[in-house]
Amino acid sequence: MKLAVVGGGSTYTPELIDGFARLRDTLPVEELVLVDPAADRLELVGGLARRIFAKQGHPGRIVTTTDIDAGVADADAVLLQLRVGGQAARNQDETWPLECGCIGQETTGAGGLAKALRTVPIVLDIAERVRRTNPDAWIIDFTNPVGIVTRALLQAGHKAVGLCNVAIGFQRKFAALLDVTPGEVHLDHVGLNHLTWELGVRLGGPDGENMLPKLLAERGDTIADDLHMPRAIVDRLGVVPSYYLRYFYAHDEVVRELRTKPSRAAEVAAMEKELLALYGDPALDEKPALLARRGGAFYSEAAVDLASSLLGSGGSAVQVVNTHNKGTLPFLPDDAVIEVQARVDGTGATPLPVPELDPLHAGLISHVTAYEDLALEAALRGGRDRVFKALLAHPLIGQFEYAEALTDKLIAHNREHLAWA
């Protein structure tokens, strides 16, 4: 089995490598190719990756290359974890929207749209290269904004599934609070990427006992603290929102906070510098503790589970993924991309039935789906007017004065990445 990781020079990659090494019986990788245009980073990450495999006795071969075509040739699955423009572009996404009093964030609002515009054309080009060399290969997208990028891939006819680590993070946290193994916890996880709610926390499977009321009653303070939301709000909701919902539920408060501290991109850039220095140490043969602060917790477990099911080595499994709606949420088009529990096997992902949604959740999902439709249109076809309409449609913006100003700022800060600008 051959896997390729595009964006393999990311400081995330050792987390993924560690998962491949520990879970080699689940996903027997014979060749792993790390692809990245940044040759200097790639060699540092590749060296550590080989040492991790060696220490854990993994027999697979790790190859590094800056050549996308060579890297993806004949791969059974290609994982996408790229960041067009790097942390510098992310820093811009997180700062210039604040000038208009709007959230600056890499996956939602104006910053999220900027990332989508930079990313979708690049991802589609990579996917076409994969299709030319192996049309049967699966594409696993971890590149943000996952929902929009996955929609672009599926719309273009690629064999693609989107992946995020939010759900597996919740599963691990709830398992610890309930003192059970993660495999015993099934989430009623519903929504769009970075716009989800845990409607139930069930023991033993989709029909198991719902432990969420007990968790909220007995561990509500802990859950609310993790979300950075008031306990009273979580209790009134009666469900557990993704922490990304704070951008919607406490928008102005978050804007005030973001204006008083360095951007997350600046923090991550400093962390990456330190991580790359560690990766260059020939004595290091395991992922360093610092990597846990970088983000992407449990990404490797989720990626291994998904790849093994898609490629047949792990059999059919239930996992939270991003895939076509297919009638799961009746108020959305079938080709909308949602994030829910799905049955995953060699044919792809089939969403499982979900509980009926409260209008509080369904309304926001519908609103953001409409924005994502316009965002994808802007990413595919370009043009100032399409960017403006997408921004005007976003529930965190929604005023023409803001949309006009943000459109100008977005184009000015991303001109080098936008072929039409």
Side-chain angles (χ1 to χ4, degrees), residues 79-331:
L79 282 72
L80 303 180
Q81 57 172 33
L82 56 150
R83 183 182 295 281
V84 180
Q87 295 299 330
R90 177 181 179 177
N91 186 66
Q92 292 182 351
D93 295 343
E94 294 176 342
T95 52
W96 55 262
L98 295 174
E99 297 169 13
C100 296
C102 295
I103 289 289
Q105 213 277 329
E106 67 160 336
T107 62
T108 194
L113 177 60
K115 192 172 195 306
L117 297 180
R118 294 193 303 268
T119 304
V120 166
I122 301 299
V123 164
L124 290 178
D125 176 67
I126 294 169
E128 285 300 327
R129 294 166 186 249
V130 173
R131 181 150 56 188
R132 285 198 297 267
T133 181
N134 184 4
D136 293 325
W138 280 101
I139 296 176
I140 297 173
D141 178 60
F142 194 67
T143 297
N144 282 321
V146 169
I148 295 173
V149 173
T150 302
R151 174 79 176 271
L153 288 165
L154 291 171
Q155 185 170 295
H158 297 289
K159 295 176 60 176
V161 180
L163 183 64
C164 180
N165 69 321
V166 167
I168 195 171
F170 272 129
Q171 182 196 44
R172 297 312 198 258
K173 288 177 183 177
F174 291 145
L177 293 176
L178 292 167
D179 195 25
V180 299
T181 63
E184 296 176 79
V185 174
H186 176 93
L187 302 177
D188 290 338
H189 178 101
V190 184
L192 311 177
N193 179 241
H194 289 183
L195 193 86
T196 53
W197 296 262
E198 308 307 329
L199 306 184
V201 179
R202 302 184 183 277
L203 288 183
D207 299 321
E209 180 183 3
N210 183 10
M211 304 300 292
L212 184 55
K214 175 182 173 69
L215 282 167
L216 290 176
E218 298 180 1
R219 307 303 295 270
D221 287 340
T222 298
I223 292 169
D225 287 346
D226 282 346
L227 299 172
H228 300 288
M229 293 184 190
R231 166 75 185 271
I233 296 298
V234 177
D235 285 341
R236 289 175 69 184
L237 292 173
V239 299
V240 178
S242 158
Y243 41 83
Y244 287 93
L245 264 298
R246 187 167 182 259
Y247 298 125
F248 295 82
Y249 292 161
H251 176 275
D252 293 354
E253 177 185 347
V254 174
V255 167
R256 289 192 294 269
E257 289 177 4
L258 293 175
R259 283 173 162 169
T260 62
K261 63 181 183 180
S263 69
R264 173 62 177 165
E267 295 174 354
V268 171
M271 205 178 302
E272 285 192 335
K273 185 176 181 180
E274 189 174 347
L275 282 170
L276 289 170
L278 292 172
Y279 295 171
D281 180 357
L284 184 67
D285 55 9
E286 60 186 11
K287 62 178 183 180
L290 176 62
L291 187 55
R293 291 169 44 206
R294 170 66 178 84
F298 310 116
Y299 162 39
S300 60
E301 285 89 341
V304 168
D305 287 346
L306 180 54
S308 65
S309 295
L310 291 173
L311 298 177
S313 63
S316 175
V318 172
Q319 183 174 4
V320 173
V321 297
N322 286 259
T323 190
H324 272 152
N325 179 41
K326 300 176 185 175
T328 308
L329 300 180
F331 52 87

Side-chain angles (χ1 to χ4, degrees), residues 401-412:
E401 182 180 0
Y402 290 164
E404 287 281 13
L406 289 168
T407 297
D408 290 337
K409 291 178 183 296
L410 185 155
I411 294 172

